[in-house]
Structures are given as structure tokens and as C-alpha cells.
């Protein structure tokens, strides 16, 4: 009988706990709903504040003196234009002169007129070197044969943006011992036809990067040497020869120094040749 009483007490206690837990869950749900309402209200309020500030800023900012700005760009008075930019009188990237077509922003007109100092300022202010705006600026500069601006924008394209971030990440990975070996081991676990297809795709991608002078990491260079030493080396050698023949190709020399010469693919090539020389038969690799 005492056991029965204790069991009933425990059952009653458990039931009470269940009710309390349910009440707490309902309270939490209510609080969560209120919090969401408060967050929504706060977002709306902040958005309204920013809207008011933006309208006030537009109202108080004097009209952009486009005539003076473009005249000073064309005459080479960079200091006037830069002072206008720092004073907040004109956004060199986003403000557009609606009365002009073509080079209708400070950045575009600076590319068109070869004002390198202003072009550099625009990139320092956050213009994405691999974006459409920079690409349009490059076209303006190229059409007007503004070679200093052309070279600068191309170098910025090579040294910045997502492609270079990938190269940095790959080179960091490459510094870890055994990465290439582990990658190749994973490949060799494939069926032969899958391995051949994947290797051909990888080599095709690596060769295309080099031919088009896109950023390429040491990891990819050495992977290409491992999968297709003769083919990869041929592409590297051809690209290097094209660059070396043109001493005025600043972008090419930058690519040669920072990508092709930045890895250990030359040492790898020598190693492959030594291995090949020791092999029997007249393989293509040994002949080369």
C-alpha cells in the first residue's frame, strides 16, 4: 500500500511537471512571436531613418558640376577632381551624368582621358577590379590607347578578385605535406575510364588557365605536371616564350613572375625528366 501511494504521488508529480513544461513552452513561443514583431518594427524604423537621411543628403548636396568636372579631367587637373570626390560632391563610380552617353561617370571619363591617378583612387575606394564597371573602363582606355591605364587595370584584374583568392587558398593547401599525393590517391581509386576522363578534364582546365593567363596556383601547375607532364610543360613553355618576346607586355611579365615562376614546377619537370631517362624504351617523355 505505501508503494501504491508513492507511485500515485510520482504520477501526480510527473503530470504537474508536464503541465509546467507545456506552460513554459507556450510562454517561450509567445515571447518569440513578440521578439519577431519587435525585430520587424526595428528593421522598418531603421529603414525609414536611412531613407530620411538619404533624402536629406540628396536635398542638401549641391548639384554636381559635371561640366567643370569633365573639363578638369580632360585638361589633366586631377587635384580638382580628387578634391570634389573627397568632399563628397561626386561619387566617381556611381554618379552618372544623364546628359552624356558613353563615358558618363568620373571613372569612365578618367579611363577615357588616361587620368591614372583618378583611376587608382576609384579602385582604392572599392571598385571591384574584376567587375563590369572596371571592364567597361578598360574598354574606354583601350579604345583611346591609354596604355598606362590599360596596364594598371589588367594588373589589378590579375592581382585581385575571386580568382586570386582561390589561388591563395590553393597555395596555402599546397604547403601542407602530402596534399598532392592524397589527391592522386583519390583519383586512382576511380575506374580506369573515369580516371582518364577526369585527368583529361583537369589538364584541359589547367592548360586553358595558363594559355589565357588566368591566375593559377602551384598546386594546379604540379597536378598538371603529374597527370600530363609533356602537355602541361608545352603550354607553360609556349606562354613563357610569348611573354619574353614582348618586353613591353607589363601584364605578361607580371603573370610570368607571380604565377608561372612562383611555383616549383621547374624542379618537378627536372625530376620527371630524370625518372624518364632512367626508364626503358623510347617514350615520348624520354625523347623530349
Amino acid at each position: 500500500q505505501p508503494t501504491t501511494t508513492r507511485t500515485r504521488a510520482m504520477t501526480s508529480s510527473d503530470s504537474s511537471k508536464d503541465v509546467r513544461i507545456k506552460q513554459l513552452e507556450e510562454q517561450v513561443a509567445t515571447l518569440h512571436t513578440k521578439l519577431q514583431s519587435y525585430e520587424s518594427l526595428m528593421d522598418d524604423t531603421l529603414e525609414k531613418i536611412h531613407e530620411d537621411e538619404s533624402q536629406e543628403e540628396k536635398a542638401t548636396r549641391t548639384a554636381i558640376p559635371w561640366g567643370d568636372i569633365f573639363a578638369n579631367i580632360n585638361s589633366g587637373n586631377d587635384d580638382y577632381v580628387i578634391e570634389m570626390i573627397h568632399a563628397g560632391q561626386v561619387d566617381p563610380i556611381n554618379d552618372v551624368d544623364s546628359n552624356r552617353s558613353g563615358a558618363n561617370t568620373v571613372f569612365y571619363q578618367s579611363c577615357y582621358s588616361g587620368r591614372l591617378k583618378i583611376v587608382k583612387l576609384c579602385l582604392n575606394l572599392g571598385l571591384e577590379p574584376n567587375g563590369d564597371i572596371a571592364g567597361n573602363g578598360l574598354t574606354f582606355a583601350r579604345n583611346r590607347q591609354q596604355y598606362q591605364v590599360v596596364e594598371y587595370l589588367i594588373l589589378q584584374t590579375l592581382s585581385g578578385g575571386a580568382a586570386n583568392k582561390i589561388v591563395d587558398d590553393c597555395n596555402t593547401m599546397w604547403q601542407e605535406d602530402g596534399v598532392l599525393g592524397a589527391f592522386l590517391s583519390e583519383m586512382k581509386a576511380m575506374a580506369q575510364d573515369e580516371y582518364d576522363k577526369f585527368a583529361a578534364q583537369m589538364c584541359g582546365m589547367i592548360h586553358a588557365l595558363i594559355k589565357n593567363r588566368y591566375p593559377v596556383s602551384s598546386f594546379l601547375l604540379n597536378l598538371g605536371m603529374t597527370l600530363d607532364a609533356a602537355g602541361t610543360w608545352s603550354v607553360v613553355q609556349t606562354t613563357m616564350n610569348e611573354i619574353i618576346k614582348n618586353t613591353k607586355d607589363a601584364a605578361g611579365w607580371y603573370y610570368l613572375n607571380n604565377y608561372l615562376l612562383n611555383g616549383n614546377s621547374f624542379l618537378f619537370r627536372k625530376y620527371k625528366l630524370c625518372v624518364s631517362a632512367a626508364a626503358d624504351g623510347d617514350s615520348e617523355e624520354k625523347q623530349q
Side-chain angles (χ1 to χ4, degrees), residues 88-99:
Q89 288 300 310
V90 63
D91 182 331
I93 301 166
N94 299 307
D95 283 338
V96 177
D97 182 1
S98 57
N99 295 318

Side-chain angles (χ1 to χ4, degrees), residues 214-251:
Y214 292 142
V216 62
S217 68
S218 296
F219 176 80
L220 288 179
L221 274 174
N222 284 277
L223 179 60
M225 286 292 202
T226 304
L227 298 176
D228 179 11
T232 302
W233 178 254
S234 176
V235 173
V236 170
Q237 192 174 39
T238 300
T239 304
M240 287 195 306
N241 288 338
E242 289 173 356
I243 293 169
I244 291 169
K245 286 176 183 175
N246 185 2
T247 57
K248 295 182 179 180
D249 183 5

Side-chain angles (χ1 to χ4, degrees), residues 62-107:
T62 57
I64 299 172
W66 286 114
D68 291 343
I69 289 174
F70 287 125
N72 280 279
I73 291 175
N74 294 333
S75 65
N77 186 5
D78 295 345
D79 291 340
Y80 169 85
V81 180
I82 290 171
E83 185 178 335
M84 293 289 288
I85 294 170
H86 286 319
Q89 288 300 310
V90 63
D91 182 331
I93 301 166
N94 299 307
D95 283 338
V96 177
D97 182 1
S98 57
N99 295 318
R100 291 172 66 98
S101 60
N104 55 5
T105 68
V106 170
F107 173 70

Side-chain angles (χ1 to χ4, degrees), residues 108 128 130-137:
Y108 287 158
E128 169 56 49
N130 291 285
D132 292 339
I133 294 176
N136 293 337

Side-chain angles (χ1 to χ4, degrees), residues 260-277:
L260 296 184
L261 299 180
N262 200 30
N264 59 356
S265 53
F266 296 97
L267 293 174
F268 195 92
R269 173 65 176 171
K270 183 178 179 182
Y271 164 77
K272 290 288 289 184
L273 287 174
C274 290
V275 171
S276 180

Side-chain angles (χ1 to χ4, degrees), residues 60-248:
T60 56
R61 192 172 77 171
T62 57
I64 299 172
W66 286 114
D68 291 343
I69 289 174
F70 287 125
N72 280 279
I73 291 175
N74 294 333
S75 65
N77 186 5
D78 295 345
D79 291 340
Y80 169 85
V81 180
I82 290 171
E83 185 178 335
M84 293 289 288
I85 294 170
H86 286 319
Q89 288 300 310
V90 63
D91 182 331
I93 301 166
N94 299 307
D95 283 338
V96 177
D97 182 1
S98 57
N99 295 318
R100 291 172 66 98
S101 60
N104 55 5
T105 68
V106 170
F107 173 70
Y108 287 158
Q109 187 63 33
S110 298
C111 293
Y112 184 88
S113 300
R115 307 317 308 160
L116 183 59
K117 191 174 181 181
I118 301 174
V119 172
K120 287 182 177 180
L121 175 60
C122 290
L123 271 83
N124 289 337
L125 290 173
L127 177 62
E128 169 56 49
N130 291 285
D132 292 339
I133 294 176
N136 293 337
L138 178 60
T139 300
F140 283 124
R142 188 175 277 142
N143 290 343
R144 292 287 294 176
Q145 298 182 349
Q146 303 292 358
Y147 294 123
Q148 282 189 319
V149 173
V150 169
E151 288 182 359
Y152 174 76
L153 289 175
I154 290 175
L155 293 181
Q156 291 300 308
T157 301
L158 285 171
S159 62
N164 209 63
K165 175 66 168 60
I166 293 170
V167 169
D168 289 342
D169 290 344
C170 284
N171 283 334
T172 300
M173 180 181 71
W174 172 242
Q175 292 171 5
E176 300 176 14
D177 291 336
V179 171
L180 183 60
F183 187 85
L184 292 171
S185 295
E186 289 292 325
M187 284 185 62
K188 288 175 181 176
M190 301 176 179
Q192 187 61 45
D193 57 338
E194 290 181 355
Y195 173 89
D196 293 340
K197 184 178 179 181
F198 183 69
Q201 289 175 338
M202 289 296 298
C203 288
M205 178 194 72
I206 294 166
H207 297 171
L209 287 173
I210 299 169
K211 286 178 182 176
N212 292 290
R213 302 186 191 178
Y214 292 142
V216 62
S217 68
S218 296
F219 176 80
L220 288 179
L221 274 174
N222 284 277
L223 179 60
M225 286 292 202
T226 304
L227 298 176
D228 179 11
T232 302
W233 178 254
S234 176
V235 173
V236 170
Q237 192 174 39
T238 300
T239 304
M240 287 195 306
N241 288 338
E242 289 173 356
I243 293 169
I244 291 169
K245 286 176 183 175
N246 185 2
T247 57
K248 295 182 179 180

Side-chain angles (χ1 to χ4, degrees), residues 18-66:
D18 290 341
V19 171
R20 182 57 182 155
I21 288 171
K22 188 174 181 181
Q23 289 174 343
L24 289 172
E25 287 176 345
E26 290 174 352
Q27 290 174 2
V28 168
T30 303
L31 287 172
H32 182 66
T33 302
K34 287 183 178 180
L35 181 60
Q36 285 182 319
S37 300
Y38 291 145
E39 286 178 344
S40 177
L41 178 62
M42 187 177 292
D43 288 341
D44 292 342
T45 304
L46 289 173
E47 189 176 337
K48 183 69 169 59
I49 290 171
H50 290 314
E51 236 176 64
D52 293 342
E53 286 177 347
S54 179
Q55 290 174 357
E56 185 179 345
E57 184 184 341
K58 286 180 181 177
T60 56
R61 192 172 77 171
T62 57
I64 299 172
W66 286 114

